[in-house]
């Protein structure tokens, strides 16, 4: 897998790993979409009194957020269920976010972190 990934430029230019892993990037987007929809449901984001709320890392502690299964289900596992390749996880995701979080292992991260980290540090 030769190429480069520049996080600040999401265009799939020639030589970019975004081209090589296009299917995985799409599947990762689908994972985040599903996780966000489930989170919104459990956190009552659909309720009229929550419409103006600002997104927060603490949202999962509101409404029925504690019941969200993605609070404990690993992001890695759902990515693999959606068909995200191990190579994408090892070559793209892990190096990009371990540098940001100063950790060396992201597999245990709960799935609810996916949409949150994408808002803060988009891949």
């Amino acid at each position: 897998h030769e190429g480069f990934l520049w996080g600040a430029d999401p265009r799939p230019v020639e030589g970019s790993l975004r081209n090589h892993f296009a299917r995985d990037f799409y599947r990762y987007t689908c994972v985040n979409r599903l996780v966000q929809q489930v989170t919104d449901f459990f956190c009552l984001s659909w309720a009229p009194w929550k419409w103006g709320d600002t997104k927060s890392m603490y949202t999962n502690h509101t409404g029925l957020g504690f019941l969200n299964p993605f609070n404990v289900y690993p992001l890695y596992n759902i990515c693999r269920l959606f068909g995200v390749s191990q190579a994408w996880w090892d070559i793209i995701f892990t190096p990009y976010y371990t540098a940001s979080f100063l950790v060396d292992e992201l597999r245990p991260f709960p799935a609810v972190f996916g949409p949150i980290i994408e808002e803060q540090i988009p891949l």
Side-chain angles (χ1 to χ4, degrees), residues 10-75:
R11 294 177 299 151
V13 296
E14 188 173 336
S16 172
L17 289 172
R18 291 184 191 281
N19 294 329
H20 183 75
F21 290 108
R23 184 174 292 150
D24 294 303
F25 276 101
Y26 172 75
R27 290 176 178 170
Y28 177 64
T29 300
C30 293
V31 165
N32 281 326
R33 208 174 295 140
L34 172 68
V35 170
Q36 188 60 59
Q37 289 171 346
V38 171
T39 300
D40 288 346
F41 172 77
F42 278 101
C43 294
L44 307 177
S45 298
W46 47 268
W49 63 87
K50 302 278 266 174
W51 288 350
D53 285 3
T54 304
K55 288 195 178 217
S56 166
M57 290 187 72
Y58 303 104
T59 300
N60 286 313
H61 302 290
T62 65
L64 303 173
F66 284 112
L67 300 176
N68 184 351
F70 291 130
N71 285 331
V72 293
Y73 196 77
L75 180 61

Side-chain angles (χ1 to χ4, degrees), residues 65-108:
F66 284 112
L67 300 176
N68 184 351
F70 291 130
N71 285 331
V72 293
Y73 196 77
L75 180 61
Y76 172 80
N77 290 14
I78 194 167
C79 281
R80 297 294 286 145
L81 282 174
F82 268 64
V84 172
S85 69
Q86 184 67 46
W88 182 87
W89 184 268
D90 293 339
I91 295 169
I92 303 294
F93 189 86
T94 299
Y96 192 79
Y97 286 118
T98 54
S100 300
F101 293 116
L102 300 176
V103 295
D104 61 355
E105 181 59 58
L106 296 173
R107 288 183 200 192

